[in-house]
Amino acid sequence: MPARRRLALLAVVVLAAAGSFALGRFGAYLVHSVAIAAIAAMGLNLLTGFAGQISFASGALIGIGAYTAGNLGNAGWGLGAILAAGVAAAVASVVIGLPALRLRGLYYAIATLAAQFVLEYLFKIVEPLTKGISGMNIAPLVLLGRPVASDQAWAAISIAILALTWLGLARLMRTNVGRAFLVVRENELVAKGMGIDVVRVKLWAFLASGFVIGVSGALVGFTTRLASPEGFGLSLSIDQVAMLIVGGQGVWAGSLLGAGFVVLIPEAIQRLGEALHVANLLSAMREMSFGLLIVLFLLFEPRGLAALLRRLARGVSRIALPHPVPDSSPVVAARTPAPGGTREKAL
Amino acid sequence: MKRHSSRVPAILAALAFALPAAADVNVCVWGTITGPDAGVNGMSYGTVDYLNYLNQTQGGIAGQKIHVILLDGRYKLDEELKIYRRCVDQENAVVVKGWSTGSAKALREQVQQDAVPFISETFSSEVLDPAKYPYLFIQGATYEQQMLIGLRAAKAAGAKKVMLMHGDVEYGRAPVTVVRKSGAIEKMGLELVDTIEFRYDAQDLTAQLLRVKAKNPDVVYIQASTPQALVILRDAAKVGLPAKLFIGNMYNIHPSIPEQLGAAAEGFRAIQLYANYGDDVPAMKEIAAYKAKNQVEKEDLYFMKGWFGGKFIAAAIGNAIKKSGGKPPADIKAFRKAVRDEMVALKNLDSGGIAPPCSFANHQGPTQARMAEIKGGKYVAVGSWVDAQ
């Protein structure tokens, strides 16, 4: 990424984080909810959208992150608790991913589903680590000697971690390992033919994805201040998959858009219902309309909100600039293989 | 364009109606309007309806209109945490009435920081600590106290051997663990012959009921909700165990049990903390008057609990307004503190016969309960009020 673009991105992140302090508590809560969900969705996107491994165990991985951060945070680890949560979830993700070395597609998805149920059960019975069914109370994260308790502070922290995650994952995708993810996703036989160690690449995908999801779990734990088995069930995994479908797989912005959609649409429906004095009716229809929207996305825009927005932007620019864009424009230049080079190089 | 512009005033008018008037006293209530335990959401509707009843019949409380906001927590922790922030931050609610045990536990520290009176529908003893959580209230005997009342009644009827059945969720396991560890069952002179934990969403408990039959207890106490009680009583009848062997908690007084099970439910007993809907108590006259002009969503015991909660909130707000010279304190923080102080100071709260007169110095209000039994397809009180203490 050019230095100027990096600086612009940094400025946006700093402004967004600083802006969180101007929000009320409710607004800040929505911001950190979206940011934390987006971090987990990016982790899942790496595994599913980029490396082609469908997983239904992200809810349990978020749980592992929350419990690890809870235990270590309560022991005074501070920021180290968030990193440790990522490591714990990364290890669990690799273990869950082991069947993927032999299973593919739907069969592997079912294996992750089994892992989700096993972990949910473990959350209930490993009482020394999870406090069982009652759940674990989590003390506020201590940063620089001060407890982080306000939603505004969490919104700023979540935005910063989201930006770091985005940059880190985008950078990973520019490495050989990242490019290998794409080849493995498209065709494992071809990948083998190209000399790619498919097993190693898959394990990297599980590791990186698990780490990111675990970090998001740590943030969930510190913001809700309670980790209980009921909070990390299959419905959370399904929400994560929904974020990918709605936002768009294989696009980082899609994870953020999907998270925003899944977290904010129920609130928008609620407010609309209140304004029109049909809150109870709409409340009952909220889940249904949410499901309906996902079906509509699958039918009409399976590439998700990210692709929809790109199309809209293209439409707007066509209206604003009715004449065809000359071939020398940077967009076209980027898509055209450089003379004497490969298309990949030009990109 | 014309079509759009004609919609704008309608939308603005709708928004204007949705926003509270500046002088309103805001009270925020959330419950499970849609979700797994929506069957008992009369607890939320009852409170909302009572406060609206005061608006319609008395112009509000102490001359102040009450703006009641009812929200759907869907029994999802993240949704409930979000709603709490909206109630405190956006709606400026002077009192917040929440729902689940999980949210009460997750929010208990936050509630103290915000210093906002918070009433939860839970009966969990884990959130009941007036010294540590001075702004947190529940409304009745804890699950543990209900269990002890039930077992005491069984003991009085001659029971010697007892079994416990509970779901594999916090609501099921935690109270049973507390009572077992306390040794209260043995102190009563009862023998605990077995404890059975079952999957909370189990649709068949025949195997577990056969185990109950083999142990031959004199009484089985169930710590579960209505759907699980239905499965237990259905399968008990299947293996030849009578319903009178079982005692359930407050959430097992539900019309669906006698309606769905018929004769198989006859003799089943449960702990009753509030009067039944339709009982001959003064509060029913108020409810009937309200119902004559409004739609009442739920007509059950849980609605009565909600109505009781409304009376509790109204009494505290009314006293706080009176003490500040007939006007609510201008500062919301001062108003919340005044209401909390009045909640604790309430003595002999008259709930119109829904529960015995009670105080909230203990942060749980009525600690009395009585046994109700299904007779002729209806729950009938079979004893007088007993104090859980």
Side-chain angles (χ1 to χ4, degrees):
Chain A
M1 189 187 289
R4 215 164 46 175
R5 218 170 135 193
R6 261 203 302 249
L7 269 177
L9 186 68
L10 183 71
V12 169
V13 171
V14 170
L15 275 177
S20 304
F21 289 96
L23 292 171
R25 189 201 282 171
F26 181 72
Y29 179 81
L30 290 183
V31 168
H32 72 64
S33 296
V34 171
I36 293 170
I39 294 168
M42 279 183 179
L44 186 62
N45 204 352
L46 177 73
L47 188 66
T48 304
F50 288 91
Q53 310 299 311
I54 302 165
S55 171
F56 287 105
S58 53
L61 290 178
I62 290 173
I64 287 178
Y67 281 117
T68 308
N71 277 304
L72 300 177
N74 288 349
W77 273 45
L79 264 185
I82 296 179
L83 291 174
V87 172
V91 172
S93 175
V94 169
V95 174
I96 293 170
L98 289 177
L101 306 178
R102 294 182 67 87
L103 303 172
R104 279 184 206 154
L106 193 58
Y107 297 96
Y108 171 66
I110 296 296
T112 63
L113 199 59
Q116 167 73 36
F117 290 136
V118 169
L119 285 168
E120 264 182 61
Y121 183 65
L122 289 177
F123 293 157
K124 286 181 185 172
I125 62 163
V126 189
E127 292 202 5
L129 292 177
T130 63
K131 306 289 179 224
I133 280 170
S134 296
M136 176 195 289
N137 292 314
I138 300 175
L141 176 75
V142 179
L143 274 184
L144 306 170
R146 293 183 65 180
V148 184
S150 80
D151 287 304
Q152 288 85 349
W154 275 115
I157 292 171
S158 306
I159 288 172
I161 295 179
L162 173 67
L164 279 175
T165 307
W166 195 329
L167 282 174
L169 290 177
R171 177 129 191 110
L172 174 69
M173 289 312 297
R174 283 195 297 273
T175 65
N176 285 342
V177 174
R179 281 189 279 266
F181 287 163
L182 300 178
V183 184
V184 169
R185 178 189 71 184
E186 295 304 321
N187 195 318
E188 286 188 22
L189 282 176
V190 171
K192 275 180 194 162
M194 289 169 73
I196 291 171
D197 184 344
V198 173
V199 170
R200 215 174 118 224
V201 165
K202 280 187 180 179
L203 289 178
W204 269 113
F206 293 123
L207 195 78
S209 154
F211 180 82
V212 173
I213 295 174
V215 167
S216 135
L219 297 175
V220 169
F222 282 124
T223 51
T224 56
R225 307 274 304 279
L226 180 77
S228 71
E230 289 167 45
F232 308 113
L234 181 63
S235 63
L236 183 60
S237 298
I238 291 172
D239 276 355
Q240 288 288 315
V241 174
M243 286 174 201
L244 281 200
I245 293 171
V246 171
Q249 297 179 54
V251 191
W252 297 123
S255 306
L256 179 58
L257 291 169
F261 185 91
V262 170
V263 174
L264 298 178
I265 278 289
E267 185 62 23
I269 294 175
Q270 170 77 27
R271 296 295 176 122
L272 181 70
E274 285 171 29
L276 302 174
H277 294 278
V278 287
N280 287 352
L281 179 70
L282 279 193
S283 204
M285 290 171 66
R286 193 158 51 170
E287 302 291 327
M288 201 173 76
S289 37
F290 185 65
L292 186 68
L293 281 169
I294 290 179
V295 171
L296 289 176
F297 265 106
L298 285 170
L299 284 176
F300 298 108
E301 189 46 278
R303 289 170 304 159
L305 272 173
L308 188 69
L309 286 183
R310 218 179 295 135
R311 260 202 351 231
L312 276 175
R314 226 177 285 147
V316 169
S317 68
R318 229 179 269 141
I319 293 166
L321 301 165
H323 302 296
V325 182
D327 281 355
S328 58
S329 82
V331 176
V332 177
R335 290 182 181 281
T336 314
T342 63
R343 185 175 172 218
E344 193 179 294
K345 237 181 188 174
L347 280 169
Chain B
M1 186 64 198
K2 200 176 172 186
R3 214 174 55 179
H4 284 290
S5 61
S6 68
R7 279 182 196 161
V8 171
I11 292 170
L12 287 177
L15 282 170
F17 274 112
L19 295 171
D24 284 352
V25 171
N26 293 341
V27 173
C28 206
V29 178
W30 85 73
T32 301
I33 306 304
T34 57
D37 56 354
V40 293
N41 63 18
M43 297 190 290
S44 301
Y45 284 119
T47 302
V48 172
D49 285 356
Y50 178 70
L51 295 174
N52 283 331
Y53 166 76
L54 291 183
N55 280 337
Q56 290 172 12
T57 57
Q58 298 169 28
I61 303 170
Q64 301 292 318
K65 277 269 180 197
I66 304 296
H67 178 244
V68 202
I69 305 128
L70 174 64
L71 297 165
D72 184 8
R74 297 191 287 159
Y75 201 61
K76 288 179 84 175
L77 182 61
D78 54 349
E79 191 69 23
E80 293 188 71
L81 299 186
K82 183 172 79 182
I83 287 175
Y84 169 78
R85 283 158 171 90
R86 176 177 165 186
C87 292
V88 175
D89 185 46
Q90 290 202 319
E91 309 292 352
N92 273 327
V94 71
V95 175
V96 178
K97 189 161 180 268
W99 187 261
S100 70
T101 303
S103 66
K105 282 170 70 176
L107 288 168
R108 55 192 165 181
E109 309 285 347
Q110 190 76 57
V111 165
Q112 303 324 305
Q113 280 172 26
D114 297 330
V116 57
F118 183 84
I119 305 162
S120 175
E121 300 294 3
T122 183
F123 291 111
S124 169
S125 60
E126 281 190 79
V127 298
L128 186 63
D129 187 340
K132 209 169 165 190
Y133 309 119
Y135 280 84
L136 219 157
F137 296 83
I138 65 171
Q139 307 163 80
T142 63
Y143 295 126
E144 293 85 349
Q145 290 170 334
Q146 291 179 45
M147 198 182 300
L148 294 178
I149 287 172
L151 294 178
R152 243 182 257 147
K155 164 84 178 163
K160 287 184 178 134
K161 291 194 292 179
V162 59
M163 269 184 89
L164 304 175
M165 289 186 80
H166 63 88
D168 65 345
V169 292
E170 186 199 0
Y171 158 67
R173 196 188 279 180
V176 168
T177 308
V178 170
V179 170
R180 284 183 62 180
K181 282 186 179 166
S182 72
I185 297 174
E186 290 75 16
K187 279 180 208 158
M188 264 187 236
L190 291 167
E191 182 195 354
L192 179 63
V193 291
D194 203 356
T195 301
I196 296 177
E197 180 173 292
F198 54 87
R199 271 188 68 98
Y200 202 59
D201 55 358
Q203 297 300 308
D204 189 299
L205 292 169
T206 310
Q208 288 83 348
L209 269 308
L210 283 169
R211 193 164 127 196
V212 172
K213 198 174 183 182
K215 297 275 180 178
N216 193 26
D218 300 315
V219 62
V220 180
Y221 188 88
I222 305 169
Q223 175 65 25
S225 288
T226 302
Q228 296 78 44
L230 276 166
V231 175
I232 289 171
L233 295 177
R234 181 200 68 195
D235 292 349
K238 206 160 55 179
V239 302
L241 292 170
K244 68 176 182 187
L245 183 68
F246 298 88
I247 298 177
N249 71 11
M250 185 262 184
Y251 287 113
N252 299 148
I253 299 191
H254 201 275
S256 64
I257 293 180
E259 273 169 25
Q260 290 191 35
L261 296 175
E266 286 293 310
F268 173 63
R269 287 166 292 165
I271 310 293
Q272 184 170 15
L273 303 182
Y274 307 98
N276 289 316
Y277 188 93
D279 276 0
D280 185 16
V281 292
M284 270 315 296
K285 291 195 180 93
E286 297 169 347
I287 295 169
Y290 181 76
K291 196 183 164 192
K293 293 179 185 166
N294 305 274
Q295 189 189 344
V296 171
E297 291 287 338
K298 294 287 170 83
E299 298 184 6
D300 54 25
L301 177 128
Y302 307 105
F303 182 86
M304 301 298 273
K305 184 192 176 192
W307 198 266
F308 169 84
K311 281 179 175 282
F312 169 42
I313 292 169
I317 292 176
N319 289 348
I321 293 175
K322 274 180 211 153
K323 281 197 180 161
S324 72
K327 287 270 173 203
D331 175 32
I332 184 72
K333 285 182 183 167
F335 193 12
R336 284 169 178 165
K337 186 179 180 311
V339 170
R340 182 262 162 199
D341 292 346
E342 290 306 322
M343 284 177 160
V344 177
L346 280 175
K347 284 200 175 78
N348 292 321
L349 174 70
D350 178 12
S351 62
I354 296 176
C358 61
S359 89
F360 272 86
N362 57 3
H363 283 234
Q364 67 174 131
T367 52
Q368 289 160 305
R370 66 186 178 194
M371 300 296 292
E373 186 177 325
I374 298 179
K375 284 183 177 173
K378 279 187 174 173
Y379 287 92
V380 179
V382 289
S384 51
W385 295 103
V386 180
D387 198 300
Q389 308 286 5

